[in-house]
Amino acid sequence: MVSTQVALAFGAAIAAVRAASLADYCTVDYVTSVLPTEDLGLAVTIDASSVSAALATNQSVTSEWYAASVIDYCNVTFAYSHNGLNNDTVHVSYLVPTPENFSNRYVSTGGGGLAINSGASYSPSGIIVGAVSGITDGGFGNFDTQFDAAFLLAAGTVNWQATYMFGYQAHHELATLGKQFTKNFFNVSDSDKLYSYYQGCSEGGREGWSQIQRFAEQFDGVVTGAPAFRYGQLQVNHLSGGVIEEAMGYYPPPCELEKIMNLTIAACDGLDGKVDGVISRSDLCKLNFNYTSTIGEPYYCAASSGTSLRRRQAAPTGYAPAQNGTITAEGVAVASAFTNGLIDSQGKRIYINPQPGSAFTDAITQYNTNTSKWEVAISSLGGEWVARYLQLQDTSNLASLANVTADTLRDWMVLGMQKYYDSLQTTWPDITPFKDAGGKVIHVHGESDFSIPTASSVHYYEAVRSTMYGSLAYNDSVAEMDDFYRLFMVPGGAHCSSNPYEPNGGWPATTLQTVIEWAEKGVAPDTLENDGGVIDTLCKWPLRPLWSGNGTSLECVSDEKSRDSWIYTFDAFKFPVY
């Protein structure tokens, strides 16, 4: 713990910090003097000897999540340990803005995949809005170490401390320490409001919801993108494409699936009233387009060293021959079954897959040079989840999908949900305490997300709506939700970013600023600004975009049939799946 003498010695500097230059306070001595030593209810001890402070000036930063900027900041890091635990060290990093740019704000940013932080992918957004911006390493070793490296203490033995840190605890500690550190650093009095925010996508989106569901007063505003809800279902579902292919005995070349996707985009583009290279209404595509219309269409892809469709993690590599053929009925059957989502042997729905027009990432195949045939490429996301997190093996994938059926995947989903319900599932639907605390959340999801189905976000929104306001008429319940929770889908958007296959879709870059306006000034967003897209404003669910006047006027319209196409009941399970 930092000594009282050191803190007193720097008392004058604390009072004058807002008049100082960045270089004046970006020092180890000053940072040490303002470490959060108050009783914050965390039962942790900060290691004052671990403090570092590095000045960064004229740093050019760019991302689809914030506007390109040139920023100055002080990068502060320190470590802490949990009282009573051995060999326990957690590192946190806070980017501190210049005194003249500080706007009484703190921002936490989240991770992606199995990483608990995304480094500079999101953290500069805090500096841009005048906030101290924090990330954590979760106690996994360093900021580059991911959860899978810390998950097992040994084969068959779960590191539950690491699991709960990844699930929600590390981000609670990051924000709690970060907010107090910010107050101390800039001498924010108890009578002055320090606004706190969160931003993250994918795993980072799930992390944001883990805080909303457990720590109602922690953040004034939250931006979550494509959250990895329903960990038990989601991770196993990445195996669905391979299981469908095994069941059908057909392994479409990647080029065949890519052609089906491109033809789908072309066919469904104009269903929203404007031909612009973007599927803005994947619901209308689902209701009106049939993959069978693509049978017989030619495709060609040159030979390459890898597959043509992107994977989020661990893409199949190796030689891929030139692919020259026509779309087959078998390829269409695979595409149709994949888009429809997993169905068990009793005809009941297990889970959902991406919207039509999305890349068939989880159905991608790989070429076997020994057999000269295409075969299943086991998703490393789904395969590692089953092998490491369910079977507790120290391995990064399953060896094969032999004898694995849709029913097997269903049962694995049940096991994952049971095992990690209180840590990773993150689907608690009653967030009344967050609303009552005045919190605001903006939830975004790319409509052509190839990794986390867009309907996953709709399902959670509807679970919250029906849980909190199920006694009200639909429109009345949506109005209640609008007070604190708004969902926006990004036409053509891929997984947490714009889409190379629908490049006119764009991506919202000022969502954090929007939730700040909502939390601090009460300016609720009926639409969301979309950067770089032919649709420059995004419609709030359940309204959907529709062009009129020969594509000159965009409206957000109510369409009950289309809305219903996003709603699913997972009746393969004998319990609610929120």
Side-chain angles (χ1 to χ4, degrees):
M1 303 293 280
V2 182
S3 70
T4 302
Q5 290 82 0
V6 172
L8 290 173
F10 282 86
I14 295 173
V17 68
R18 296 196 187 214
S21 70
L22 186 64
D24 290 332
Y25 64 81
C26 190
T27 67
V28 169
D29 284 345
Y30 181 74
V31 170
T32 302
S33 76
V34 295
L35 289 174
T37 59
E38 294 83 356
D39 182 5
L40 303 175
L42 296 179
V44 302
T45 299
I46 295 174
D47 177 8
S49 69
S50 69
V51 172
S52 69
L55 181 66
T57 59
N58 296 316
Q59 300 294 302
S60 297
V61 294
T62 183
S63 167
E64 289 191 296
W65 285 87
Y66 52 80
S69 304
V70 177
I71 59 175
D72 299 339
Y73 58 85
C74 179
N75 186 358
V76 171
T77 64
F78 60 83
Y80 66 89
S81 59
H82 296 96
N83 301 342
L85 292 182
N86 296 322
N87 302 315
D88 169 59
T89 303
V90 184
H91 299 90
V92 289
S93 172
Y94 298 102
L95 304 187
V96 181
T98 60
E100 64 268 23
N101 289 332
F102 177 62
S103 301
N104 279 44
R105 293 173 184 145
Y106 168 79
V107 173
S108 281
T109 61
L114 294 172
I116 199 168
N117 73 79
S118 296
S121 297
Y122 297 104
S123 55
S125 62
I127 298 295
I128 292 169
V129 299
V132 171
S133 185
I135 63 172
T136 178
D137 79 345
F140 305 149
N142 59 59
F143 293 107
D144 295 323
T145 306
Q146 299 193 9
F147 175 45
D148 54 343
F151 170 70
L152 289 176
L153 294 173
T157 304
V158 174
N159 183 342
W160 284 107
Q161 171 65 12
T163 301
Y164 286 112
M165 286 292 281
F166 188 70
Y168 60 87
Q169 185 179 339
H171 270 285
H172 173 53
E173 293 169 354
L174 172 71
T176 303
L177 292 171
K179 289 193 292 182
Q180 189 62 53
F181 172 67
T182 302
K183 289 179 179 179
N184 294 352
F185 202 104
F186 288 105
N187 195 27
V188 178
S189 69
D190 291 339
S191 61
D192 290 336
K193 169 69 174 177
L194 177 76
Y195 287 93
S196 58
Y197 299 96
Y198 177 90
Q199 184 175 47
C201 194
S202 191
E203 163 57 25
R206 186 204 64 79
E207 289 160 5
W209 282 104
S210 78
Q211 304 304 290
I212 290 173
Q213 293 169 11
R214 291 174 173 84
F215 310 107
E217 298 183 357
Q218 184 157 279
F219 295 117
D220 298 290
V222 176
V223 174
T224 68
F229 289 129
R230 277 165 248 105
Y231 230 73
Q233 284 77 17
L234 171 66
Q235 300 297 73
V236 171
N237 195 62
H238 285 295
L239 299 172
S240 63
V243 168
I244 287 169
E245 289 161 351
E246 293 277 29
M248 293 186 170
Y250 182 72
Y251 310 93
C255 196
E256 183 176 13
L257 291 177
E258 188 170 37
K259 183 68 172 184
I260 293 173
M261 174 193 68
N262 286 328
L263 290 171
T264 303
I265 294 171
C268 295
D269 180 358
L271 295 177
D272 63 353
K274 184 176 183 177
V275 176
D276 50 22
V278 178
I279 298 181
S280 300
R281 294 293 299 275
S282 63
D283 40 30
L284 294 178
C285 187
K286 183 178 180 181
L287 293 171
N288 293 283
F289 180 69
N290 195 315
Y291 287 141
T292 58
S293 64
T294 68
I295 294 174
E297 292 290 332
Y299 62 81
Y300 172 77
C301 294
S304 68
S305 59
T307 52
S308 59
L309 292 180
R310 302 183 305 161
R311 296 180 70 83
R312 190 171 59 162
Q313 186 176 335
T317 58
Y319 171 73
Q323 300 165 57
N324 189 6
T326 59
I327 295 175
T328 62
E330 293 85 355
V332 162
V334 167
S336 298
F338 179 78
T339 300
N340 185 50
L342 275 177
I343 306 297
D344 72 7
S345 59
Q346 303 301 311
K348 296 182 178 181
R349 174 162 297 281
I350 302 173
Y351 207 59
I352 48 181
N353 268 326
Q355 294 290 106
S358 307
F360 293 98
T361 304
D362 284 335
I364 199 77
T365 54
Q366 62 187 359
Y367 190 72
N368 187 324
T369 55
N370 294 322
T371 63
S372 299
K373 293 180 179 180
W374 293 96
E375 64 184 17
V376 164
I378 302 175
S379 162
S380 63
L381 289 169
E384 182 173 18
W385 172 256
V386 173
R388 186 183 300 276
Y389 297 89
L390 300 186
Q391 299 174 352
L392 307 185
Q393 304 172 37
D394 189 10
T395 184
S396 58
N397 210 333
L398 290 170
S400 78
L401 293 179
N403 301 316
V404 175
T405 66
D407 287 3
T408 309
L409 298 188
R410 177 201 61 206
D411 295 343
W412 280 341
M413 290 180 184
V414 172
L415 175 60
M417 186 173 175
Q418 290 175 325
K419 193 173 187 70
Y420 301 105
Y421 194 85
D422 65 340
S423 55
L424 303 177
Q425 191 72 1
T426 320
T427 54
W428 190 255
D430 183 7
I431 52 175
T432 302
F434 177 75
K435 180 194 176 183
D436 290 347
K440 311 296 183 187
V441 57
I442 294 177
H443 180 170
V444 299
H445 206 137
E447 193 149 339
S448 293
D449 193 320
F450 57 84
S451 183
I452 298 180
T454 315
S456 166
S457 286
V458 174
H459 189 77
Y460 180 72
Y461 175 97
E462 291 295 324
V464 173
R465 184 195 61 78
S466 60
T467 297
M468 292 179 62
Y469 307 111
S471 62
L472 301 179
Y474 187 83
N475 289 341
D476 292 336
S477 65
V478 168
E480 291 290 336
M481 293 282 281
D482 281 351
D483 282 348
F484 73 105
Y485 177 10
R486 301 191 178 200
L487 168 64
F488 298 86
M489 286 180 270
V490 186
H495 185 61
C496 297
S497 70
S498 59
N499 187 348
Y501 301 110
E502 300 177 61
N504 292 332
W507 193 260
T510 56
T511 313
L512 179 58
Q513 287 86 337
T514 302
V515 85
I516 287 172
E517 287 287 302
W518 192 6
E520 296 182 14
K521 299 180 181 179
V523 182
D526 288 327
T527 58
L528 195 62
E529 182 177 342
N530 190 36
D531 295 85
V534 290
I535 294 182
D536 57 9
T537 56
L538 306 178
C539 296
K540 172 179 61 68
W541 174 262
L543 302 180
R544 305 294 291 133
L546 188 67
W547 293 90
S548 60
N550 294 319
T552 60
S553 178
L554 177 68
E555 299 178 83
C556 295
V557 302
S558 178
D559 184 336
E560 187 172 351
K561 185 176 181 181
S562 293
R563 183 188 76 205
D564 289 347
S565 75
W566 291 92
I567 308 300
Y568 295 88
T569 299
F570 303 131
D571 56 350
F573 303 100
K574 297 179 180 180
F575 44 79
V577 179
Y578 295 115

